[in-house]
Amino acid sequence: MARFTKSQCQPCPDRPRCTSSRESARNVGFPPRELRDLQVRVRTEQQTSEWKARCAVRSGVEGTINEFAHGHGMRHCRYRGQPKAHLQHVLTAIAVNVERLSARSVTEETSSPRPPTAFQTFLDQQAIPRSKSWRTLGT
């Protein structure tokens, strides 16, 4: 720890970069070398694209958890017992999904159809007709 008195701090040309206080002196802490090396390494790692991709996924998950905890009161369960608590969580998740879907504008593009599987591509190459899906039967 380094301590600088007011008389030492006032004439320093780097004072505006160091502190915004006009009145007090400045105390500067220096971490141990191992901790400083660890901080430098971690901050360098945080600039990589792999780390940013992992952080983006985590950020999305944390946003969803925050929405449940603060927006829908999921910190406290209204019911006793695990089966009823589970039912509350499932119904709340369904409600949030419906809410999110209803908030989407009509002009937003729907997702494109899934690409064909390797087996479907093989059938197409061999000119073998695909059987109808159970979803399309009767239409």
Side-chain angles (χ1 to χ4, degrees):
M1 181 72 97
R3 297 176 194 265
F4 299 94
T5 63
K6 187 176 179 180
S7 61
Q8 290 172 322
C9 251
Q10 290 294 344
C12 179
D14 285 333
R15 189 174 195 291
R17 291 179 38 210
C18 186
T19 182
S20 61
S21 173
R22 296 178 187 265
E23 305 282 327
S24 64
R26 177 81 170 136
N27 295 330
V28 181
F30 300 99
R33 182 175 297 278
E34 297 83 24
L35 179 59
R36 174 70 181 143
D37 292 343
L38 178 64
Q39 286 176 335
V40 169
R41 192 187 72 207
V42 168
R43 287 178 183 153
T44 304
E45 180 182 315
Q46 289 175 350
Q47 302 305 315
T48 63
S49 59
E50 296 86 21
W51 189 91
K52 289 180 181 180
R54 280 196 329 261
C55 186
V57 171
R58 179 177 175 176
S59 175
V61 170
E62 286 182 359
T64 301
I65 291 172
N66 185 43
E67 179 185 354
F68 272 87
H70 295 101
H72 302 284
M74 294 301 288
R75 288 217 187 269
H76 302 285
C77 190
R78 297 174 187 216
Y79 308 102
R80 290 186 182 195
Q82 188 175 2
K84 289 187 242 176
H86 176 71
L87 180 63
Q88 176 188 346
H89 294 157
V90 169
L91 292 176
T92 303
I94 291 170
V96 168
N97 286 337
V98 168
E99 183 180 43
R100 287 179 175 180
L101 286 172
S102 66
R104 290 179 68 186
S105 65
V106 178
T107 59
E108 287 184 32
E109 283 187 27
T110 58
S111 60
S112 60
R114 293 182 0 194
T117 64
F119 182 67
Q120 290 170 337
T121 305
F122 173 77
L123 292 176
D124 292 341
Q125 289 172 349
Q126 302 300 320
I128 300 172
R130 296 186 201 172
S131 61
K132 284 195 165 198
S133 169
W134 62 272
R135 293 184 182 112
T136 60
L137 289 176
T139 57

